[in-house]
Amino acid sequence: FVTGMKKSFAQISEPVEVTMTPLTRNVLKKDRVLVLANHPFVDGLAIIPALPERKNVKIVATIEFMNCAPNMNEHLLFVDTRHHKKVQRDGRLFHAIIAFLNPIPKQNYKDAHKKNIETISQAAQHVNNGGLVALIPSSNSKDGSWHKGVGHLLHAIESEKTYIVNAHVTGSLVSELLRSLPFLSFFIPRSRVIFQDPIPLSEIYESDPYLNLRNAENRYVQWEKSLKPQRSYFVKRWIFSFVSILDL
């Protein structure tokens, strides 16, 4: 799955720029891992080709993307968040576009909630069996608050010998498609994925799912604030691109 995504991504863009330590790479390759990433959009798929090669990888995705690429369905675990008020309010345009491109019948609250519980159980079981699960914990809303289900997932995962790896994505699948157009590649930076060093789940684990959620979210927010402002990277890229054009 990861190998296939790397090849597909390479056909439309340059390789994703990845930053991680040897320790993180080693954990991502073979340990029980839950990867938590930013980017509440389809562009979060950029994280897949950034992962080291391994077979037992699952990605938690919103149900709107079911059957968009049928060969990927077996590697995806679907959740239905369309009934959440924040998602309905702040993600209205996004969901309207996805619904038009890939119409999936809307479930009532009870059925959607049941589906999400099943997905949480499947994701936890996959990690407990030695696999890697990646997800975007924040909702597609302006405040970026994390879904409560993340806390229940953390609670269901065996904390011993399991790691959390935070990831920060800059750029997008859309921007990579634009980079394939003449001259635009000079102006649009490559997608970048930065991975934090692994955090043992046992360090933040609590018996209360809500506390698990808050602990994980606070760790992520603190780490994200410690990263160098991405704006400076884009400014440097624009200056470099402009100079490169002058040298043509």
Side-chain angles (χ1 to χ4, degrees):
F1 173 52
V2 174
T3 302
M5 286 299 296
K6 287 179 184 288
K7 291 180 179 179
S8 299
F9 216 84
Q11 291 177 359
I12 63 171
S13 69
E14 299 176 41
V16 176
E17 189 174 324
V18 181
T19 301
M20 70 171 72
T21 63
L23 172 62
T24 301
R25 179 175 296 278
N26 190 49
V27 167
L28 289 174
K29 285 180 69 174
K30 64 179 185 179
D31 286 312
R32 303 194 312 199
V33 185
L34 182 66
V35 177
L36 303 177
N38 67 318
H39 236 301
F41 196 62
V42 60
D43 298 342
L45 290 175
I47 196 175
I48 301 174
L51 294 170
E53 304 286 347
R54 73 180 286 173
K55 295 181 179 179
N56 52 351
V57 174
K58 295 282 188 181
I59 309 295
V60 177
T62 58
I63 200 168
E64 289 100 324
F65 300 116
M66 181 182 289
N67 301 326
C68 282
N71 292 336
M72 287 181 59
N73 278 357
E74 63 180 295
H75 303 288
L76 303 179
L77 300 171
F78 296 103
V79 292
D80 192 347
T81 60
R82 292 172 294 179
H83 58 281
H84 291 185
K85 291 182 179 179
K86 288 183 178 180
V87 173
Q88 292 175 349
R89 182 182 67 244
D90 299 332
R92 195 172 301 165
L93 178 60
F94 164 74
H95 288 282
I97 294 173
I98 296 299
F100 176 77
L101 296 174
N102 184 39
I104 299 291
K106 195 168 184 178
Q107 305 179 90
N108 59 45
Y109 175 83
K110 184 178 180 180
D111 290 340
H113 186 63
K114 180 180 179 181
K115 170 63 179 174
N116 294 342
I117 292 175
E118 291 175 355
T119 296
I120 290 172
S121 177
Q122 292 170 355
Q125 183 177 6
H126 184 74
V127 174
N128 290 339
N129 289 338
L132 180 151
V133 169
L135 61 90
I136 298 168
S138 62
S139 61
N140 188 25
S141 61
K142 292 178 181 178
D143 63 5
S145 58
W146 285 23
H147 289 296
K148 294 180 180 178
V150 177
H152 291 284
L153 173 58
L154 291 168
H155 182 70
I157 294 175
E158 297 173 6
S159 60
E160 296 300 322
K161 297 182 180 180
T162 301
Y163 297 92
I164 292 175
V165 175
N166 292 323
H168 182 83
V169 182
T170 302
S172 67
L173 188 59
V174 174
S175 66
E176 292 300 326
L177 289 171
L178 293 175
R179 278 178 54 80
S180 65
L181 299 176
F183 300 109
L184 285 182
S185 61
F186 286 104
F187 299 101
I188 301 176
R190 290 166 55 189
S191 293
R192 305 174 72 208
V193 181
I194 302 173
F195 291 95
Q196 187 186 23
D197 280 347
I199 302 169
L201 178 55
S202 57
E203 284 189 9
I204 68 168
Y205 187 83
E206 301 282 355
S207 58
D208 185 345
Y210 177 79
L211 293 179
N212 285 328
L213 174 65
R214 293 282 77 84
N215 290 342
E217 185 174 11
N218 289 338
R219 283 287 192 102
Y220 187 94
V221 171
Q222 290 173 7
W223 170 69
E224 192 173 39
K225 288 180 178 179
S226 71
L227 298 176
K228 293 182 179 180
Q230 299 298 321
R231 184 179 302 176
S232 62
Y233 170 79
F234 282 98
V235 171
K236 291 178 182 178
R237 175 68 187 189
W238 275 81
I239 294 174
F240 175 78
S241 300
F242 182 72
V243 172
S244 298
I245 291 174
L246 293 179
D247 288 340
L248 290 178

